[in-house]
Amino acid sequence: MSDNGHIIVGLEIGTSKVCAAVGELTETGELNVLGLGQAKSRGVRKGEILDAEKAGDDVRQALAEAEEMADVDIESVLLAVTGRHIECANYRGVHTIPSVDRAIGDEDVQLALRNAKSQSCPAGSEIIDSVRQDFIVDDHTVYDNPVGVVGGRLEARVHVIRGHANRLATSRQAVENAVPVRVEKPVFGGLASALAVLTTEQKQAGAVVVDLGAGTTEFAFFHQGLLRHSGVLAVGGDHVSNDLAYGLRILIPRAEELKLEHGTAVARPESAGVQVRGDSTSLHGGRGVSLEHLERIMSHRIEETLELVALRLREADALRMATAGVFLCGGAARTPGILEVARRIFQCPVHQGLVQGVSGPANVLENPEFVTAIGLLRYGAMRSRQRVQPNLLGKLRSLASLSSFRSFLF
Ligand SMILES: Nc1ncnc2c1ncn2[C@@H]1O[C@H](COP(=O)(O)OP(=O)(O)O)[C@@H](O)[C@H]1O
Ligand SMILES: [Mg+2]
């Protein structure tokens, strides 16, 4: 690590594994992964912590491994959150400009944004992130930035990601009670994954990232450089294994093994009549199971999951606007044939989502399961750049070029 590097740590408590990534943001703005630690996750179901003690133990193990590899003391982490309690939606907030013929100022923008946010947070929930979209002044003219425009009614559009306050507190406390580390902030896992995978150009052109995990599937859609839509579905790779266990009448651990050994998203004609070992732990002794049946069960569940994602993406018109295509990451993105099936369902280009613009060990960067934790490093890097933004904002304003500036978060 260089002396002046700023350390950022990302932690994902996933349904199948806990993953901690330690990154260094250099003075020149480069991001390097210095260490990574992981542990099997035993306290999580469908993305939510059900056994905080077990989750805490797994966090301790993953962080210790990451600390050792990176040779740093971890003080704080950005924590990826997901689960059915996460809600992502677009809101509008209106602010009336008190006097006629007055140009809209920063304060007016802030008030319109605040109104949008206040509607988006019912009792018991907590806003995780909110991203400003565009603004509408009086006669429906849309502005990226309305400062300096003369108008009477200002409407702000905001994408808000919120979660159930108690569930978020459970995640935070599971970490803070287990290790002497502070949770800086929760971050929606789907947003973190998108930040790891998409380049600036892809975010500008329009792109979607779908993170196919064990218990959940997250998605995030960027267009014109901003997060436009996101969400979570409580389905993932575990459901495929459960279906296999039920359909083939074998135990879940064997179903998981068979999925990894023989799994495919597209049933193959040559598998007809082929038997694979059902294992001695199967309910029926060492009998074989039909590979054709296995492939049919698996491909149906994967298709169904991708159809559900497509439905949610179509609601936001994301698939039509994703000029750069859809990028798949998360462990289930390893399933052979999944890109082909996704192309057919999404009706647009689909690619493997790989970490971009970050350096580090190849085996870490190429692993689809680590994308979220590495994306948290990118999130942290963007946040630290935003902290120096007021100066930049001042300079830009004095150059009267504010319209080209769009903030990532507010
Ligand atoms: N080769 C593979 N084929 C199919 N599924 C896979 C493969 N490798 C991993 N998976 C699945 O990926 C999921 C784990 O992905 P991961 O992104 O680590 O999930 P999480 O973040 O929810 O812990 C598991 O359901 C696992 O079975
Ligand atoms: Mg995950």
Side-chain angles (χ1 to χ4, degrees):
M1 186 186 91
S2 73
D3 287 346
N4 299 319
H6 167 59
I7 294 295
I8 305 168
V9 182
L11 177 67
E12 183 198 16
I13 309 175
T15 304
S16 78
K17 52 93 200 38
V18 176
C19 177
V22 178
E24 175 198 22
L25 178 65
T26 67
E27 278 194 326
T28 49
E30 279 131 39
L31 198 52
N32 305 319
V33 177
L34 302 178
L36 190 124
Q38 60 170 326
K40 190 171 161 42
S41 179
R42 298 163 305 148
V44 179
R45 226 177 129 236
K46 296 189 182 180
E48 294 179 30
I49 295 179
L50 294 189
D51 187 329
E53 276 188 18
K54 278 192 183 139
D57 289 345
D58 302 337
V59 164
R60 191 178 308 117
Q61 191 186 325
L63 284 176
E65 201 177 301
E67 250 185 354
E68 195 181 324
M69 184 173 164
D71 194 19
V72 296
D73 288 330
I74 296 175
E75 289 165 9
S76 64
V77 297
L78 289 164
L79 179 64
V81 289
T82 185
R84 220 194 279 267
H85 70 105
I86 305 286
E87 291 198 43
C88 310
N90 293 325
Y91 292 89
R92 290 162 181 237
V94 174
H95 169 62
T96 307
I97 315 300
S99 56
V100 262
D101 292 346
R102 175 162 84 63
I104 291 167
D106 249 351
E107 329 68 62
D108 302 311
V109 170
Q110 293 310 323
L111 286 168
L113 291 171
R114 198 181 306 160
N115 288 343
K117 276 171 78 173
S118 64
Q119 290 176 38
S120 68
C121 197
S125 66
E126 188 181 307
I127 294 182
I128 299 170
D129 266 314
S130 50
V131 182
R132 57 195 269 178
Q133 312 281 291
D134 35 31
F135 297 86
I136 298 173
V137 180
D138 293 339
D139 54 351
H140 306 295
T141 312
V142 178
Y143 295 88
D144 284 354
N145 183 346
V147 172
V149 173
V150 176
R153 181 185 183 276
L154 174 65
E155 182 178 307
R157 297 199 279 205
V158 181
H159 182 68
V160 176
I161 302 172
R162 65 170 196 242
H164 194 287
N166 290 346
R167 306 269 166 75
L168 295 173
T170 300
S171 299
R172 179 188 291 270
Q173 285 175 25
V175 176
E176 292 183 345
N177 291 341
V179 283
V181 158
R182 187 173 55 87
V183 173
E184 243 174 88
K185 193 190 175 308
V187 179
F188 173 47
L191 171 59
S193 298
L195 294 180
V197 164
L198 300 180
T199 63
T200 306
E201 293 73 29
Q202 288 160 346
K203 282 187 278 195
Q204 193 65 33
V208 171
V209 173
V210 180
D211 185 323
L212 297 148
T216 53
T217 295
E218 294 96 28
F219 60 87
F221 162 54
F222 273 79
H223 187 246
Q224 291 175 334
L226 291 177
L227 177 70
R228 301 290 176 174
H229 191 59
S230 57
V232 193
L233 293 144
V235 282
D238 278 355
H239 298 78
V240 175
S241 307
N242 289 345
D243 284 0
L244 291 176
Y246 184 77
L248 302 174
R249 309 194 68 195
I250 53 175
L251 298 178
I252 287 177
R254 180 59 184 155
E256 178 75 20
E257 279 172 17
L258 283 178
K259 181 178 82 172
L260 301 186
E261 278 171 43
H262 302 285
T264 169
V266 195
R268 297 165 300 186
E270 62 270 27
S271 301
V274 178
Q275 295 277 303
V276 293
R277 201 168 56 85
D279 197 276
S280 53
T281 56
S282 80
L283 298 177
H284 293 265
R287 79 181 167 96
V289 293
S290 154
L291 184 59
E292 184 187 4
H293 197 185
L294 180 154
E295 292 185 355
R296 215 164 344 108
I297 295 169
M298 186 160 173
S299 59
H300 275 152
R301 176 58 101 161
I302 288 172
E303 271 190 27
E304 192 185 83
T305 305
L306 294 174
E307 294 276 11
L308 289 173
V309 176
L311 205 66
R312 298 282 298 274
L313 290 171
R314 284 203 185 96
E315 280 165 16
D317 209 12
L319 292 176
R320 192 181 61 80
M321 293 184 5
T323 318
V326 176
F327 296 78
L328 303 186
C329 62
R334 291 182 186 271
T335 311
I338 197 163
L339 295 182
E340 183 188 327
V341 177
R343 275 179 204 123
R344 175 164 52 76
I345 292 171
F346 295 152
Q347 293 283 302
C348 71
V350 179
H351 319 275
Q352 198 78 44
L354 298 170
V355 169
Q356 300 294 322
V358 180
S359 60
N363 63 338
V364 168
L365 300 178
E366 286 165 6
N367 200 314
E369 283 94 347
F370 300 161
V371 165
T372 308
I374 296 173
L376 291 169
L377 306 182
R378 165 83 60 224
Y379 182 100
M382 289 169 113
R383 245 167 53 107
S384 35
R385 257 176 244 139
Q386 271 207 333
R387 285 197 200 107
V388 296
Q389 211 68 267
N391 286 340
L392 174 64
L393 204 60
K395 278 185 205 150
L396 284 171
R397 225 178 253 136
S398 65
L399 291 170
S401 61
L402 198 61
S403 62
S404 63
F405 172 76
R406 308 199 68 178
S407 91
F408 162 66
L409 301 165
F410 72 89

